[in-house]
Amino acid sequence: MIPLSVLDLSVVTTGTKPAAALRNSIDLARHVDGLGYLRYWLAEHHNLASVASPAPDVMIGQIAAVTKHIRVGSGGVMLPNHAPLVVAERFKMLEALFPGRIDLGLGRAPGTDGATAYALRSRLDRREGDDFLERLHELILWETREFPAGHPYNNVVAMPDDTRLPPIWLLGSGDYSSELAAQVGMGFAFAHHFATHDAIDAMVHYRNRFQPSAWRASPHAILAVAVIAADTDEEAERLASSFDLNRLRRDRGQYLPLPSVEEAIAYPYTDAERTSILRNRSRLFVGGPATVQKKLQPLIYASKPDELMVITAVYDHEARKKSYSLLAEAFGLVKQAE
């Protein structure tokens, strides 16, 4: 069976304030650590009422400290928001504290709106246009120490200097990151849960173009998918109603906390809204364990991921934990000893 991992946004609901959402992330991480999940990644978003975590590096340290087996990483750090030296220092520290358990996933989007992105970057060295590639190159140089002769950064060391950067993964929802990850020989994670680009194309492109490097000898592709599982198809559909309404609002630019099932069911949908919900369901896998597995198999077969990274956003925290438990059983994960 394919390995499973977790992508967590620390989702805020109308009944769960941001601080509680962060604590729920820690509780979920403990839960899936025992179920045999491979990774637990935290996202970076800013100024969104629906997402509680703007600082994945902080959450990584907290979660790694209370788990034993699972790898913990960023899904991802939005590199244009940060000085590469700061990213290098923080993730070398995490790797030093939790050796062999940290991942550094990098994204090129701001993870927020334009005004917030400006506030995040206004005191950085602002560069014109898309500077992700430049920042990635600089981040790598902090590890390789291959700055040109006479460069002032030759006198700067990213501490702790006896610890390597953890494995780097490039995140994407289009073809840019798949091409770049293949060229530089890094891991690749594709965001099927919100991408409009074809996941199969991106995954196959990455694998076919991959060039071995000092980072990786062979390609490793992660497919991130949105899943809601429950004991029955009917219960899963009920839980998914919150997602449907939330996504409908997001499409209108309303990034609100996740509504309750009761609010979602009572919402007076128009025919156009129901059509939009059906369209958005192409990115969401809903049902009992056997149904979800059956729905996922064609995508797994065609895109050939090395692992699935599952994001489950439901209103009730215990229902979210149960969804991951049901998936672990359906995909044959091996429970970890306490």
Side-chain angles (χ1 to χ4, degrees):
M1 285 290 188
I2 190 170
L4 298 183
S5 296
V6 176
L7 175 61
D8 184 14
L9 302 185
S10 299
V11 173
V12 180
T13 77
T14 54
T16 307
K17 299 300 182 184
L22 295 175
R23 293 191 291 271
N24 282 346
S25 290
I26 294 173
D27 181 60
L28 178 62
R30 286 196 189 100
H31 179 65
V32 298
D33 186 39
L35 293 175
Y37 280 77
L38 180 60
R39 305 176 204 276
Y40 197 101
W41 280 8
L42 292 306
E44 175 188 340
H45 290 283
H46 303 272
N47 194 33
L48 294 182
S50 56
V51 180
S53 176
D57 53 320
V58 175
M59 289 298 293
I60 289 168
Q62 293 294 313
I63 287 174
V66 299
T67 53
K68 297 179 180 179
H69 312 284
I70 201 164
R71 295 187 66 93
V72 191
S74 55
V77 166
M78 300 296 107
L79 189 55
N81 295 341
H82 308 279
L85 174 59
V86 172
V87 176
E89 289 176 331
R90 291 177 180 176
F91 277 81
K92 283 163 73 74
M93 282 186 65
L94 288 167
E95 180 66 21
L97 292 169
F98 308 101
R101 292 185 56 210
I102 305 299
D103 293 321
L104 173 52
L106 299 173
R108 59 191 281 257
T112 189
D113 58 274
T116 308
Y118 181 84
L120 287 164
R121 305 174 189 181
S122 62
R123 297 189 183 277
L124 294 178
D125 174 21
R126 291 185 57 78
R127 306 161 196 186
E128 295 299 324
D130 185 348
D131 61 359
F132 175 79
L133 193 56
E134 183 181 350
R135 291 182 185 274
L136 176 62
H137 186 213
E138 183 181 321
L139 176 64
I140 292 171
L141 289 174
W142 288 117
E143 176 69 18
T144 63
R145 305 301 308 164
E146 294 175 348
F147 290 107
H151 196 285
Y153 289 176
N154 279 317
N155 298 318
V156 182
V157 176
M159 294 295 288
D161 62 353
D162 62 344
T163 303
R164 291 181 56 83
L165 277 175
I168 296 178
W169 302 78
L170 300 188
L171 282 54
S173 57
D175 57 357
Y176 177 90
S177 292
S178 66
E179 175 68 28
L180 180 58
Q183 286 183 5
V184 298
M186 293 178 176
F188 173 59
F190 184 80
H192 174 274
H193 57 292
F194 66 81
T196 56
H197 188 82
D198 181 58
I200 299 168
D201 176 75
M203 300 285 278
V204 172
H205 184 90
Y206 163 72
R207 194 173 298 282
N208 289 343
R209 301 286 188 92
F210 183 85
Q211 300 177 27
S213 70
W215 299 98
R216 295 198 68 88
S218 59
H220 191 110
I222 298 173
L223 182 63
V225 292
V227 177
I228 296 175
D231 285 325
T232 65
D233 291 354
E234 293 75 19
E235 176 60 16
E237 287 290 341
R238 179 178 172 276
L239 293 174
S241 63
S242 293
F243 174 95
D244 292 336
L245 178 56
N246 189 250
R247 185 59 195 238
L248 187 66
R249 288 168 169 170
R250 286 188 61 184
D251 289 345
R252 298 170 178 167
Q254 302 171 355
Y255 291 85
L256 301 174
L258 191 72
S260 68
V261 169
E262 291 73 19
E263 179 183 350
I265 291 175
Y267 185 88
Y269 297 98
T270 65
D271 290 342
E273 288 172 334
R274 293 187 185 281
T275 299
S276 180
I277 286 172
L278 286 175
R279 185 169 58 249
N280 287 331
R281 278 297 188 94
S282 66
R283 304 189 191 99
L284 177 65
F285 300 87
V286 180
T291 299
V292 167
Q293 195 172 32
K294 183 178 180 181
K295 288 180 177 179
L296 282 168
Q297 281 305 323
L299 181 61
I300 295 172
Y301 179 81
S303 61
K304 295 179 172 56
D306 295 285
E307 64 187 91
L308 282 183
M309 182 166 279
V310 178
I311 176 171
T312 298
V314 295
Y315 183 81
D316 181 73
H317 179 58
E318 292 303 317
R320 181 164 69 142
K321 289 168 65 176
K322 185 169 186 178
S323 180
Y324 282 109
S325 295
L326 292 170
L327 282 179
E329 184 176 352
F331 280 84
L333 300 191
V334 178
K335 291 187 176 182
Q336 300 287 348
E338 291 295 331

Short mmCIF file of all heavy atoms in Angstrom, two decimals, residues 161-218:
data_model
loop_
_atom_site.label_atom_id
_atom_site.label_comp_id
_atom_site.label_asym_id
_atom_site.label_seq_id
_atom_site.Cartn_x
_atom_site.Cartn_y
_atom_site.Cartn_z
N ASP A 161 26.23 25.24 12.74
CA ASP A 161 27.00 24.90 11.54
C ASP A 161 27.45 23.44 11.48
O ASP A 161 28.08 23.03 10.50
CB ASP A 161 28.20 25.83 11.40
CG ASP A 161 29.18 25.72 12.55
OD1 ASP A 161 28.87 25.00 13.53
OD2 ASP A 161 30.25 26.34 12.47
N ASP A 162 27.11 22.66 12.50
CA ASP A 162 27.43 21.23 12.45
C ASP A 162 26.22 20.39 12.05
O ASP A 162 26.22 19.17 12.17
CB ASP A 162 27.96 20.74 13.80
CG ASP A 162 26.94 20.89 14.92
OD1 ASP A 162 25.95 21.63 14.73
OD2 ASP A 162 27.13 20.26 15.97
N THR A 163 25.17 21.06 11.54
CA THR A 163 23.93 20.39 11.16
C THR A 163 23.55 20.78 9.74
O THR A 163 23.56 21.95 9.40
CB THR A 163 22.78 20.78 12.12
OG1 THR A 163 23.16 20.46 13.46
CG2 THR A 163 21.50 20.04 11.75
N ARG A 164 23.22 19.78 8.93
CA ARG A 164 22.79 20.05 7.57
C ARG A 164 21.33 20.50 7.53
O ARG A 164 20.56 20.22 8.45
CB ARG A 164 22.93 18.79 6.70
CG ARG A 164 24.36 18.37 6.41
CD ARG A 164 24.40 17.13 5.54
NE ARG A 164 23.65 17.31 4.29
CZ ARG A 164 24.15 17.90 3.20
NH1 ARG A 164 25.38 18.37 3.20
NH2 ARG A 164 23.41 18.01 2.11
N LEU A 165 20.98 21.20 6.45
CA LEU A 165 19.57 21.47 6.22
C LEU A 165 18.83 20.16 6.05
O LEU A 165 19.36 19.20 5.49
CB LEU A 165 19.39 22.31 4.95
CG LEU A 165 19.56 23.83 5.05
CD1 LEU A 165 19.45 24.44 3.66
CD2 LEU A 165 18.51 24.44 5.97
N PRO A 166 17.58 20.09 6.50
CA PRO A 166 16.79 18.88 6.25
C PRO A 166 16.45 18.78 4.76
O PRO A 166 16.68 19.73 4.00
CB PRO A 166 15.54 19.11 7.10
CG PRO A 166 15.45 20.58 7.27
CD PRO A 166 16.85 21.08 7.29
N PRO A 167 15.91 17.65 4.32
CA PRO A 167 15.53 17.51 2.91
C PRO A 167 14.61 18.63 2.45
O PRO A 167 13.68 19.02 3.16
CB PRO A 167 14.81 16.16 2.87
CG PRO A 167 15.37 15.41 4.03
CD PRO A 167 15.63 16.42 5.09
N ILE A 168 14.88 19.15 1.24
CA ILE A 168 14.08 20.23 0.67
C ILE A 168 13.09 19.66 -0.34
O ILE A 168 13.44 18.83 -1.18
CB ILE A 168 14.98 21.28 -0.01
CG1 ILE A 168 15.88 21.96 1.03
CG2 ILE A 168 14.13 22.33 -0.74
CD1 ILE A 168 16.83 22.99 0.44
N TRP A 169 11.86 20.13 -0.23
CA TRP A 169 10.79 19.75 -1.14
C TRP A 169 10.24 21.02 -1.77
O TRP A 169 10.04 22.03 -1.07
CB TRP A 169 9.66 19.04 -0.39
CG TRP A 169 10.10 17.82 0.33
CD1 TRP A 169 10.76 17.76 1.52
CD2 TRP A 169 9.92 16.47 -0.09
NE1 TRP A 169 11.00 16.45 1.86
CE2 TRP A 169 10.50 15.64 0.89
CE3 TRP A 169 9.31 15.88 -1.21
CZ2 TRP A 169 10.49 14.26 0.80
CZ3 TRP A 169 9.30 14.50 -1.31
CH2 TRP A 169 9.88 13.70 -0.31
N LEU A 170 9.97 21.00 -3.06
CA LEU A 170 9.34 22.13 -3.74
C LEU A 170 7.86 21.82 -3.90
O LEU A 170 7.48 20.73 -4.35
CB LEU A 170 9.98 22.39 -5.09
CG LEU A 170 11.48 22.74 -5.05
CD1 LEU A 170 11.95 23.18 -6.43
CD2 LEU A 170 11.77 23.83 -4.03
N LEU A 171 7.02 22.78 -3.51
CA LEU A 171 5.58 22.61 -3.55
C LEU A 171 5.02 23.34 -4.76
O LEU A 171 5.54 24.38 -5.16
CB LEU A 171 4.94 23.17 -2.28
CG LEU A 171 5.00 22.34 -1.00
CD1 LEU A 171 6.42 21.93 -0.64
CD2 LEU A 171 4.38 23.10 0.15
N GLY A 172 3.95 22.82 -5.32
CA GLY A 172 3.37 23.49 -6.46
C GLY A 172 1.97 23.04 -6.77
O GLY A 172 1.52 21.97 -6.32
N SER A 173 1.27 23.85 -7.57
CA SER A 173 -0.06 23.51 -8.06
C SER A 173 -0.12 23.66 -9.58
O SER A 173 -1.19 23.64 -10.16
CB SER A 173 -1.12 24.40 -7.40
OG SER A 173 -0.83 25.78 -7.66
N GLY A 174 1.06 23.82 -10.21
CA GLY A 174 1.15 23.94 -11.65
C GLY A 174 2.37 23.21 -12.16
O GLY A 174 2.91 22.33 -11.50
N ASP A 175 2.83 23.60 -13.35
CA ASP A 175 3.97 22.89 -13.94
C ASP A 175 5.32 23.52 -13.60
O ASP A 175 6.35 22.89 -13.78
CB ASP A 175 3.82 22.80 -15.46
CG ASP A 175 3.66 24.17 -16.12
OD1 ASP A 175 3.62 25.19 -15.40
OD2 ASP A 175 3.58 24.20 -17.37
N TYR A 176 5.33 24.76 -13.07
CA TYR A 176 6.59 25.43 -12.78
C TYR A 176 7.41 24.66 -11.75
O TYR A 176 8.58 24.36 -11.96
CB TYR A 176 6.33 26.86 -12.28
CG TYR A 176 7.58 27.61 -11.88
CD1 TYR A 176 8.29 28.37 -12.82
CD2 TYR A 176 8.06 27.59 -10.58
CE1 TYR A 176 9.44 29.06 -12.46
CE2 TYR A 176 9.21 28.26 -10.21
CZ TYR A 176 9.89 29.01 -11.15
OH TYR A 176 11.02 29.69 -10.78
N SER A 177 6.80 24.35 -10.62
CA SER A 177 7.54 23.69 -9.54
C SER A 177 7.93 22.26 -9.89
O SER A 177 8.97 21.77 -9.46
CB SER A 177 6.73 23.71 -8.24
OG SER A 177 6.61 25.03 -7.76
N SER A 178 7.10 21.58 -10.67
CA SER A 178 7.46 20.22 -11.07
C SER A 178 8.70 20.24 -11.96
O SER A 178 9.59 19.40 -11.83
CB SER A 178 6.29 19.53 -11.80
OG SER A 178 6.01 20.15 -13.03
N GLU A 179 8.77 21.21 -12.86
CA GLU A 179 9.94 21.34 -13.73
C GLU A 179 11.18 21.72 -12.92
O GLU A 179 12.25 21.13 -13.09
CB GLU A 179 9.67 22.40 -14.80
CG GLU A 179 10.86 22.72 -15.71
CD GLU A 179 11.23 21.55 -16.61
OE1 GLU A 179 10.33 20.75 -16.95
OE2 GLU A 179 12.41 21.45 -16.98
N LEU A 180 11.03 22.69 -12.00
CA LEU A 180 12.17 23.15 -11.21
C LEU A 180 12.66 22.04 -10.28
O LEU A 180 13.87 21.81 -10.16
CB LEU A 180 11.78 24.39 -10.39
CG LEU A 180 12.87 24.99 -9.51
CD1 LEU A 180 14.10 25.37 -10.35
CD2 LEU A 180 12.34 26.21 -8.76
N ALA A 181 11.74 21.35 -9.61
CA ALA A 181 12.13 20.26 -8.71
C ALA A 181 12.88 19.17 -9.46
O ALA A 181 13.85 18.60 -8.95
CB ALA A 181 10.89 19.66 -8.03
N ALA A 182 12.47 18.89 -10.69
CA ALA A 182 13.15 17.89 -11.50
C ALA A 182 14.55 18.36 -11.88
O ALA A 182 15.52 17.60 -11.83
CB ALA A 182 12.34 17.59 -12.75
N GLN A 183 14.68 19.63 -12.24
CA GLN A 183 15.97 20.17 -12.68
C GLN A 183 17.00 20.19 -11.55
O GLN A 183 18.17 19.88 -11.77
CB GLN A 183 15.79 21.58 -13.24
CG GLN A 183 15.14 21.64 -14.59
CD GLN A 183 15.05 23.07 -15.13
OE1 GLN A 183 15.57 24.00 -14.52
NE2 GLN A 183 14.39 23.24 -16.26
N VAL A 184 16.57 20.57 -10.35
CA VAL A 184 17.51 20.71 -9.24
C VAL A 184 17.61 19.43 -8.41
O VAL A 184 18.39 19.37 -7.46
CB VAL A 184 17.15 21.91 -8.34
CG1 VAL A 184 17.21 23.21 -9.12
CG2 VAL A 184 15.78 21.74 -7.69
N GLY A 185 16.83 18.42 -8.74
CA GLY A 185 16.93 17.14 -8.05
C GLY A 185 16.43 17.15 -6.63
O GLY A 185 17.06 16.60 -5.73
N MET A 186 15.25 17.76 -6.41
CA MET A 186 14.65 17.80 -5.09
C MET A 186 13.31 17.06 -5.10
O MET A 186 12.79 16.70 -6.15
CB MET A 186 14.44 19.25 -4.64
CG MET A 186 15.73 20.01 -4.40
SD MET A 186 15.43 21.73 -3.92
CE MET A 186 17.11 22.28 -3.61
N GLY A 187 12.75 16.83 -3.92
CA GLY A 187 11.44 16.24 -3.82
C GLY A 187 10.38 17.21 -4.30
O GLY A 187 10.58 18.43 -4.32
N PHE A 188 9.21 16.68 -4.68
CA PHE A 188 8.14 17.50 -5.23
C PHE A 188 6.82 17.10 -4.60
O PHE A 188 6.53 15.91 -4.43
CB PHE A 188 8.07 17.32 -6.75
CG PHE A 188 6.90 17.99 -7.41
CD1 PHE A 188 6.72 19.36 -7.30
CD2 PHE A 188 5.98 17.25 -8.14
CE1 PHE A 188 5.63 19.99 -7.90
CE2 PHE A 188 4.90 17.87 -8.76
CZ PHE A 188 4.73 19.24 -8.65
N ALA A 189 6.02 18.11 -4.22
CA ALA A 189 4.69 17.86 -3.68
C ALA A 189 3.68 18.68 -4.47
O ALA A 189 3.83 19.90 -4.61
CB ALA A 189 4.63 18.23 -2.20
N PHE A 190 2.66 17.99 -4.99
CA PHE A 190 1.65 18.66 -5.82
C PHE A 190 0.35 18.82 -5.05
O PHE A 190 -0.17 17.86 -4.47
CB PHE A 190 1.40 17.86 -7.10
CG PHE A 190 0.45 18.55 -8.04
CD1 PHE A 190 0.89 19.56 -8.88
CD2 PHE A 190 -0.90 18.19 -8.08
CE1 PHE A 190 0.02 20.21 -9.74
CE2 PHE A 190 -1.78 18.83 -8.94
CZ PHE A 190 -1.32 19.84 -9.77
N ALA A 191 -0.22 20.03 -5.08
CA ALA A 191 -1.42 20.38 -4.32
C ALA A 191 -2.68 20.12 -5.14
O ALA A 191 -3.32 21.05 -5.65
CB ALA A 191 -1.35 21.83 -3.87
N HIS A 192 -3.05 18.85 -5.27
CA HIS A 192 -4.26 18.51 -6.03
C HIS A 192 -5.50 19.13 -5.40
O HIS A 192 -6.47 19.43 -6.10
CB HIS A 192 -4.41 16.98 -6.08
CG HIS A 192 -5.69 16.52 -6.70
ND1 HIS A 192 -6.86 16.38 -5.99
CD2 HIS A 192 -5.99 16.17 -7.98
CE1 HIS A 192 -7.82 15.95 -6.80
NE2 HIS A 192 -7.32 15.82 -8.00
N HIS A 193 -5.49 19.36 -4.08
CA HIS A 193 -6.69 19.82 -3.38
C HIS A 193 -7.14 21.21 -3.78
O HIS A 193 -8.28 21.58 -3.51
CB HIS A 193 -6.49 19.74 -1.86
CG HIS A 193 -5.31 20.51 -1.35
ND1 HIS A 193 -4.02 20.15 -1.64
CD2 HIS A 193 -5.23 21.60 -0.56
CE1 HIS A 193 -3.19 21.00 -1.04
NE2 HIS A 193 -3.90 21.88 -0.40
N PHE A 194 -6.28 22.01 -4.42
CA PHE A 194 -6.76 23.29 -4.93
C PHE A 194 -6.25 23.62 -6.33
O PHE A 194 -6.57 24.68 -6.88
CB PHE A 194 -6.41 24.44 -3.97
CG PHE A 194 -4.95 24.74 -3.83
CD1 PHE A 194 -4.27 25.49 -4.78
CD2 PHE A 194 -4.23 24.29 -2.73
CE1 PHE A 194 -2.93 25.79 -4.64
CE2 PHE A 194 -2.89 24.58 -2.58
CZ PHE A 194 -2.24 25.33 -3.54
N ALA A 195 -5.48 22.75 -6.92
CA ALA A 195 -4.88 23.02 -8.22
C ALA A 195 -5.91 22.96 -9.34
O ALA A 195 -6.85 22.18 -9.30
CB ALA A 195 -3.76 22.03 -8.51
N THR A 196 -5.69 23.81 -10.36
CA THR A 196 -6.46 23.70 -11.60
C THR A 196 -5.64 22.95 -12.65
O THR A 196 -6.20 22.42 -13.61
CB THR A 196 -6.83 25.10 -12.13
OG1 THR A 196 -5.63 25.88 -12.28
CG2 THR A 196 -7.77 25.80 -11.17
N HIS A 197 -4.33 22.92 -12.46
CA HIS A 197 -3.46 22.17 -13.37
C HIS A 197 -3.65 20.68 -13.15
O HIS A 197 -3.95 20.23 -12.04
CB HIS A 197 -2.00 22.57 -13.13
CG HIS A 197 -1.04 21.99 -14.13
ND1 HIS A 197 -0.84 22.57 -15.36
CD2 HIS A 197 -0.25 20.90 -14.10
CE1 HIS A 197 0.05 21.86 -16.04
NE2 HIS A 197 0.42 20.84 -15.29
N ASP A 198 -3.47 19.88 -14.19
CA ASP A 198 -3.66 18.44 -14.11
C ASP A 198 -2.57 17.79 -13.27
O ASP A 198 -1.37 17.92 -13.55
CB ASP A 198 -3.64 17.85 -15.53
CG ASP A 198 -3.85 16.36 -15.52
OD1 ASP A 198 -4.89 15.90 -15.00
OD2 ASP A 198 -2.96 15.63 -15.99
N ALA A 199 -2.99 17.08 -12.23
CA ALA A 199 -2.03 16.45 -11.31
C ALA A 199 -1.21 15.39 -12.01
O ALA A 199 0.00 15.25 -11.75
CB ALA A 199 -2.78 15.85 -10.12
N ILE A 200 -1.83 14.63 -12.88
CA ILE A 200 -1.11 13.55 -13.57
C ILE A 200 0.01 14.12 -14.42
O ILE A 200 1.15 13.62 -14.41
CB ILE A 200 -2.09 12.72 -14.42
CG1 ILE A 200 -3.15 12.08 -13.51
CG2 ILE A 200 -1.35 11.67 -15.23
CD1 ILE A 200 -4.31 11.48 -14.26
N ASP A 201 -0.29 15.19 -15.14
CA ASP A 201 0.73 15.83 -15.98
C ASP A 201 1.91 16.30 -15.14
O ASP A 201 3.08 16.07 -15.49
CB ASP A 201 0.12 17.02 -16.72
CG ASP A 201 1.14 17.78 -17.53
OD1 ASP A 201 1.55 17.29 -18.60
OD2 ASP A 201 1.53 18.88 -17.10
N ALA A 202 1.63 16.97 -14.02
CA ALA A 202 2.70 17.51 -13.18
C ALA A 202 3.56 16.40 -12.58
O ALA A 202 4.79 16.47 -12.57
CB ALA A 202 2.11 18.37 -12.07
N MET A 203 2.91 15.34 -12.10
CA MET A 203 3.63 14.26 -11.44
C MET A 203 4.49 13.48 -12.43
O MET A 203 5.65 13.16 -12.17
CB MET A 203 2.65 13.34 -10.73
CG MET A 203 1.80 14.01 -9.67
SD MET A 203 2.67 14.36 -8.14
CE MET A 203 2.56 12.76 -7.36
N VAL A 204 3.91 13.16 -13.59
CA VAL A 204 4.65 12.41 -14.61
C VAL A 204 5.80 13.25 -15.16
O VAL A 204 6.91 12.75 -15.38
CB VAL A 204 3.70 11.96 -15.73
CG1 VAL A 204 4.49 11.36 -16.90
CG2 VAL A 204 2.69 10.95 -15.20
N HIS A 205 5.54 14.55 -15.37
CA HIS A 205 6.57 15.45 -15.87
C HIS A 205 7.77 15.48 -14.92
O HIS A 205 8.92 15.39 -15.35
CB HIS A 205 5.99 16.86 -16.02
CG HIS A 205 6.94 17.85 -16.61
ND1 HIS A 205 7.05 18.07 -17.96
CD2 HIS A 205 7.84 18.68 -16.02
CE1 HIS A 205 7.97 18.99 -18.18
NE2 HIS A 205 8.47 19.38 -17.02
N TYR A 206 7.49 15.60 -13.63
CA TYR A 206 8.56 15.63 -12.63
C TYR A 206 9.38 14.35 -12.67
O TYR A 206 10.62 14.37 -12.72
CB TYR A 206 7.95 15.82 -11.24
CG TYR A 206 8.88 15.48 -10.10
CD1 TYR A 206 9.97 16.29 -9.78
CD2 TYR A 206 8.67 14.32 -9.34
CE1 TYR A 206 10.82 15.96 -8.73
CE2 TYR A 206 9.52 13.99 -8.29
CZ TYR A 206 10.60 14.82 -7.99
OH TYR A 206 11.45 14.48 -6.97
N ARG A 207 8.71 13.22 -12.69
CA ARG A 207 9.42 11.95 -12.64
C ARG A 207 10.25 11.72 -13.91
O ARG A 207 11.38 11.23 -13.85
CB ARG A 207 8.41 10.80 -12.46
CG ARG A 207 9.02 9.48 -12.06
CD ARG A 207 7.96 8.46 -11.73
NE ARG A 207 7.13 8.86 -10.60
CZ ARG A 207 7.52 8.76 -9.33
NH1 ARG A 207 8.72 8.27 -9.05
NH2 ARG A 207 6.72 9.12 -8.36
N ASN A 208 9.70 12.09 -15.06
CA ASN A 208 10.41 11.87 -16.32
C ASN A 208 11.60 12.80 -16.49
O ASN A 208 12.58 12.44 -17.16
CB ASN A 208 9.45 12.05 -17.50
CG ASN A 208 8.44 10.92 -17.61
OD1 ASN A 208 8.62 9.85 -17.02
ND2 ASN A 208 7.38 11.14 -18.35
N ARG A 209 11.54 14.00 -15.91
CA ARG A 209 12.61 14.99 -16.10
C ARG A 209 13.62 15.02 -14.95
O ARG A 209 14.58 15.78 -15.00
CB ARG A 209 11.99 16.39 -16.23
CG ARG A 209 11.01 16.56 -17.38
CD ARG A 209 11.70 16.60 -18.72
NE ARG A 209 10.77 16.95 -19.78
CZ ARG A 209 10.54 18.18 -20.23
NH1 ARG A 209 11.17 19.21 -19.67
NH2 ARG A 209 9.68 18.40 -21.20
N PHE A 210 13.41 14.22 -13.93
CA PHE A 210 14.23 14.30 -12.72
C PHE A 210 15.71 14.06 -13.02
O PHE A 210 16.08 13.13 -13.74
CB PHE A 210 13.76 13.29 -11.68
CG PHE A 210 14.52 13.37 -10.38
CD1 PHE A 210 14.15 14.27 -9.40
CD2 PHE A 210 15.61 12.55 -10.15
CE1 PHE A 210 14.85 14.34 -8.21
CE2 PHE A 210 16.32 12.61 -8.96
CZ PHE A 210 15.94 13.53 -7.99
N GLN A 211 16.56 14.93 -12.43
CA GLN A 211 18.01 14.80 -12.54
C GLN A 211 18.59 14.57 -11.15
O GLN A 211 18.42 15.41 -10.26
CB GLN A 211 18.62 16.07 -13.16
CG GLN A 211 18.10 16.37 -14.56
CD GLN A 211 18.67 17.65 -15.13
OE1 GLN A 211 19.77 18.07 -14.76
NE2 GLN A 211 17.93 18.28 -16.04
N PRO A 212 19.27 13.45 -10.93
CA PRO A 212 19.86 13.18 -9.61
C PRO A 212 20.78 14.32 -9.17
O PRO A 212 21.43 14.96 -9.99
CB PRO A 212 20.64 11.89 -9.84
CG PRO A 212 19.98 11.25 -11.02
CD PRO A 212 19.53 12.38 -11.90
N SER A 213 20.81 14.54 -7.85
CA SER A 213 21.60 15.65 -7.31
C SER A 213 22.13 15.26 -5.94
O SER A 213 21.90 14.15 -5.45
CB SER A 213 20.72 16.89 -7.18
OG SER A 213 19.77 16.71 -6.13
N ALA A 214 22.82 16.20 -5.31
CA ALA A 214 23.29 15.99 -3.95
C ALA A 214 22.12 15.93 -2.97
O ALA A 214 22.28 15.43 -1.84
CB ALA A 214 24.25 17.12 -3.55
N TRP A 215 20.97 16.42 -3.38
CA TRP A 215 19.79 16.42 -2.51
C TRP A 215 19.06 15.08 -2.57
O TRP A 215 18.64 14.56 -1.54
CB TRP A 215 18.83 17.55 -2.92
CG TRP A 215 19.46 18.90 -2.79
CD1 TRP A 215 20.02 19.62 -3.80
CD2 TRP A 215 19.62 19.66 -1.60
NE1 TRP A 215 20.52 20.81 -3.30
CE2 TRP A 215 20.28 20.85 -1.96
CE3 TRP A 215 19.27 19.46 -0.27
CZ2 TRP A 215 20.60 21.84 -1.03
CZ3 TRP A 215 19.58 20.44 0.66
CH2 TRP A 215 20.24 21.61 0.28
N ARG A 216 18.90 14.55 -3.79
CA ARG A 216 18.20 13.28 -3.95
C ARG A 216 18.82 12.50 -5.09
O ARG A 216 19.15 13.06 -6.14
CB ARG A 216 16.71 13.48 -4.27
CG ARG A 216 15.88 14.14 -3.19
CD ARG A 216 14.41 13.86 -3.45
NE ARG A 216 14.14 12.46 -3.24
CZ ARG A 216 13.82 11.93 -2.06
NH1 ARG A 216 13.72 12.69 -0.99
NH2 ARG A 216 13.61 10.64 -1.95
N ALA A 217 18.93 11.19 -4.91
CA ALA A 217 19.43 10.33 -5.99
C ALA A 217 18.32 9.91 -6.93
O ALA A 217 18.58 9.56 -8.09
CB ALA A 217 20.11 9.10 -5.40
N SER A 218 17.07 9.93 -6.46
CA SER A 218 15.94 9.50 -7.27
C SER A 218 14.73 10.38 -6.95
O SER A 218 14.66 10.99 -5.88
CB SER A 218 15.61 8.03 -6.99
OG SER A 218 15.32 7.84 -5.62
#
